[in-house]
C-alpha cells in the first residue's frame, strides 16, 4: 500500500496556516488538476483526489486537531477522507451541480471563466452558423450572394411575451423572480438558470398556443450579403443580430457565415499568390520559346521560356495573383513548367532524335555519362 503524503505538504502550506490559506491553496490545485480540465489524465486525477482529501481534513475543525496529533492513523475509522477515500462533494462537479461543466462552475467562482470569454445572458438568443460555398472566381473577385436561413423570431401572436390573451404573469416561487438559483458546496457557489421558469423569473398562467409559451417561432429569412474580394476558405463573416431572437428582453444572436471556396481546375491558391502548371515540349525547354496562357481574369499573357529550362522550374509573373482585401495590390502568379516527353515518335522524329543522340555522344565526354561520375558530382 502506498504511503500517504503529509496533507500540509500536499497543499503546499505551513502547519500554522489558517482556513483561508487552506482554502486558497486547495482552490489553486482544484482548478489545475480537476478531471474535467484534464480528461483521461490519470496523474492529474490522482493529484486532484489527494488535494481534495487534504482539504477536507485540514478544513474540518474536528479532523484537523486529530491529524495534527496522530497523523493519518488517527483518522482511521472516522469515514470520509480519513478512511482512505475522498469526499464525493468535489469528485464530480457536473453530477453535483445538475450537469454543469467544470468551466461553468469556475466561471461563477472566479467571474469570467477560462480563456477570458464572458458568459452570455441566459435570455440572449443563440448565434447561427451558415456554410456558404463560393466558386474560385467569386472568392477572388468578391460578389453578392442571397442566402436563406431559418431563425427564431418573436412570436407574432403574443408579441414575444409567451402568454395567450387574458393570461396572467406570476412571479416564480422557486427562484422568487430572480430567474437564477444558487447552489453551494463548501466554498464553491454556482448560479444556474431556474428550472421552473427557465430564467424568466415569472410563470405564465396560459401559454400562447402558437409558440407554446416560448415567445418564439421559427421563420425563414432571406438576406443579401456582400462578399469582399480575396476571401478564402475558413473566413467568417458575422452579421450582428441576425441569429435567434432573445427572450425576456435578451439580445438576438448573430449570423456567422463560414466561407468554403471550391477548387479551380487550373489555378491553385496560397494566400494571395496563384500557382498553375504549364506543359511544354522537349524542344521548347531546350531551345527556349514564348507561350501564351490565360490569366485569372481571362486575359492572354505571353511567357518567355528560357533555353535550357528544366522540369519543375517556377516562373514568376508579378501582380497576376489574388487581390488583397480593400487594396489595389495583388499577389503574384507562379507558373510551374512541366516538360512533356513524347510517348510516340514518328519515323522522322526518331531519326532526328537518333542524330541528336549521336551528336550528343560525340560532343560529350564519356566520363560524364558514367554512373560513377554522376555520383561524384552529387
Amino acid at each position: 500500500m502506498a504511503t500517504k503524503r503529509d496533507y500540509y505538504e500536499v497543499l503546499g502550506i505551513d502547519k500554522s496556516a489558517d482556513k483561508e490559506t487552506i482554502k486558497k491553496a486547495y482552490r489553486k490545485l482544484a482548478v489545475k488538476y480537476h478531471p474535467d480540465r484534464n480528461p483521461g489524465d490519470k496523474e492529474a486525477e490522482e493529484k486532484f483526489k489527494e488535494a481534495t482529501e487534504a482539504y477536507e481534513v485540514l478544513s474540518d475543525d474536528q479532523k484537523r486537531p486529530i491529524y495534527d496529533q496522530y497523523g493519518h492513523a488517527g483518522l482511521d475509522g472516522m469515514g470520509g477522507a480519513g478512511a482512505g477515500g475522498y469526499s464525493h462533494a468535489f469528485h464530480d462537479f457536473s453530477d453535483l451541480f445538475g450537469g454543469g461543466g467544470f468551466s461553468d462552475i469556475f466561471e461563477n467562482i472566479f467571474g469570467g471563466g477560462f480563456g477570458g470569454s464572458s458568459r452570455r445572458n441566459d435570455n440572449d438568443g443563440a448565434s447561427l452558423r451558415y456554410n456558404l460555398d463560393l466558386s474560385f472566381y467569386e472568392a477572388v473577385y468578391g460578389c453578392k450572394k442571397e442566402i436563406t436561413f431559418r431563425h427564431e423570431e418573436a412570436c407574432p401572436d403574443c408579441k414575444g411575451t409567451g402568454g395567450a390573451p387574458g393570461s396572467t404573469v406570476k412571479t416564480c416561487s422557486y427562484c422568487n423572480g430572480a430567474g437564477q438559483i444558487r447552489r453551494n458546496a463548501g466554498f464553491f457557489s454556482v448560479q444556474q438558470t431556474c428550472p421552473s421558469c427557465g430564467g424568466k423569473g415569472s410563470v405564465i398562467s396560459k401559454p400562447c398556443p402558437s409558440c407554446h409559451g416560448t415567445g418564439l417561432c421559427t421563420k425563414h429569412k432571406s438576406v443579401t450579403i456582400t462578399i469582399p474580394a480575396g476571401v478564402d476558405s475558413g473566413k467568417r463573416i458575422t452579421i450582428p443580430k441576425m441569429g435567434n431572437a432573445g427572450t425576456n428582453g435578451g439580445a438576438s444572436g448573430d449570423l456567422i457565415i463560414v466561407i468554403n471556396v471550391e477548387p479551380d481546375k487550373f489555378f491553385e491558391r496560397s494566400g494571395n499568390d496563384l500557382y498553375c502548371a504549364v506543359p511544354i515540349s522537349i524542344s521548347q525547354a531546350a531551345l527556349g520559346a514564348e507561350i501564351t496562357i490565360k490569366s485569372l481574369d481571362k486575359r492572354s499573357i505571353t511567357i518567355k521560356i528560357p533555353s535550357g529550362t528544366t522540369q519543375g522550374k517556377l516562373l514568376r509573373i508579378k501582380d497576376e495573383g489574388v487581390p488583397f482585401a480593400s487594396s489595389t495590390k495583388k499577389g503574384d502568379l507562379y507558373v510551374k513548367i512541366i516538360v512533356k516527353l513524347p510517348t510516340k515518335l514518328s519515323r522522322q522524329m526518331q531519326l532526328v532524335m537518333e542524330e541528336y543522340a549521336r551528336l550528343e555522344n560525340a560532343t560529350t565526354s564519356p566520363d560524364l555519362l558514367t554512373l560513377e561520375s554522376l555520383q561524384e558530382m552529387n
Side-chain angles (χ1 to χ4, degrees):
M1 182 175 179
T3 304
K4 289 187 177 182
R5 287 203 299 156
D6 178 77
Y7 287 147
Y8 292 98
E9 179 187 343
V10 170
L11 297 182
I13 56 176
D14 297 329
K15 290 191 174 183
S16 59
D18 57 18
K19 281 192 173 183
E20 187 62 29
T21 302
I22 294 171
K23 183 184 293 185
K24 288 181 179 179
Y26 173 63
R27 177 183 292 170
K28 182 178 179 181
L29 294 173
V31 171
K32 182 177 181 180
Y33 293 118
H34 192 276
D36 282 358
R37 200 183 190 194
N38 302 274
D41 189 335
K42 294 296 183 183
E43 183 180 355
E45 183 179 355
E46 290 304 316
K47 288 183 178 180
F48 176 77
K49 291 179 182 180
E50 185 182 46
T52 300
E53 182 178 320
Y55 170 73
E56 289 195 332
V57 171
L58 299 184
S59 63
D60 190 292
D61 292 335
Q62 293 182 341
K63 293 180 181 180
R64 184 176 180 182
I66 296 174
Y67 175 75
D68 287 344
Q69 187 171 359
Y70 300 106
H72 294 291
L75 298 173
D76 289 346
M78 293 187 68
Y86 69 101
S87 170
H88 291 280
F90 302 109
H91 173 56
D92 192 337
F93 290 165
S94 60
D95 288 344
L96 180 62
F97 296 107
F102 175 72
S103 60
D104 291 337
I105 294 164
F106 280 86
E107 180 178 71
N108 284 279
I109 295 171
F110 301 113
F114 294 104
S117 61
S118 60
R119 188 174 183 176
R120 287 173 54 85
N121 189 303
D122 288 319
N123 295 326
D124 289 350
S127 291
L128 302 177
R129 171 176 173 144
Y130 186 96
N131 296 322
L132 178 62
D133 292 331
L134 297 178
S135 72
F136 193 84
Y137 291 87
E138 287 176 329
V140 168
Y141 293 109
C143 61
K144 290 185 181 293
K145 297 289 261 187
E146 183 180 57
I147 63 172
T148 300
F149 59 97
R150 295 196 311 167
H151 73 161
E152 292 180 342
E153 298 179 354
C155 174
D157 293 337
C158 66
K159 310 302 181 186
T161 64
S167 64
T168 57
V169 179
K170 294 182 179 180
T171 300
C172 176
S173 59
Y174 193 82
C175 65
N176 295 320
Q180 302 285 326
I181 59 172
R182 187 173 292 277
R183 305 184 68 175
N184 300 303
F187 61 84
F188 293 102
S189 180
V190 177
Q191 185 171 290
Q192 290 181 301
T193 301
C194 174
S196 179
C197 67
K200 294 181 178 180
S202 59
V203 179
I204 300 171
S205 61
K206 294 181 181 179
C208 170
S210 298
C211 65
H212 306 289
T214 64
L216 300 171
C217 62
T218 301
K219 297 284 187 180
H220 284 84
K221 188 174 183 65
S222 295
V223 62
T224 300
I225 59 174
T226 300
I227 306 297
V231 298
D232 207 348
S233 289
K235 169 72 176 176
R236 290 170 178 253
I237 299 173
T238 299
I239 304 179
K241 311 301 182 184
M242 279 285 184
N244 288 341
T247 58
N248 213 31
S252 295
D254 299 329
L255 175 63
I256 301 171
I257 300 170
V258 182
I259 301 297
N260 176 59
V261 181
E262 297 171 352
D264 185 68
K265 294 181 179 179
F266 184 64
F267 294 105
E268 290 186 10
R269 180 176 172 183
S270 177
N272 288 81
D273 292 330
L274 290 176
Y275 290 80
C276 67
V278 175
I280 63 173
S281 66
I282 293 178
S283 62
Q284 288 175 317
L287 302 176
E290 287 188 352
I291 62 173
T292 301
I293 66 169
K294 292 292 185 181
S295 67
L296 189 64
D297 57 3
K298 308 303 182 181
R299 290 179 293 106
S300 295
I301 301 176
T302 300
I303 303 175
K304 185 175 182 180
I305 307 296
S307 60
T309 293
T310 55
Q311 173 84 348
K313 182 178 180 62
L314 281 178
L315 302 178
R316 177 190 177 197
I317 306 174
K318 292 191 64 177
D319 301 324
E320 289 293 346
V322 176
F324 284 83
S326 304
S327 172
T328 57
K329 184 181 177 183
K330 293 183 178 181
D332 299 327
L333 171 62
Y334 290 87
V335 179
K336 183 178 181 179
I337 299 301
I338 306 297
V339 181
K340 291 185 65 176
L341 296 176
T343 55
K344 290 183 178 180
L345 295 176
S346 65
R347 178 58 182 163
Q348 186 177 2
M349 291 175 66
Q350 185 175 349
L351 291 173
V352 170
M353 291 299 294
E354 288 174 353
E355 178 63 15
Y356 171 79
R358 186 186 67 79
L359 293 173
E360 184 179 42
N361 289 334
T363 57
T364 304
S365 169
D367 253 1
L368 295 179
L369 299 178
T370 64
L371 177 61
E372 292 80 0
S373 62
L374 288 174
Q375 289 174 336
E376 288 174 2
M377 290 172 64
N378 291 330

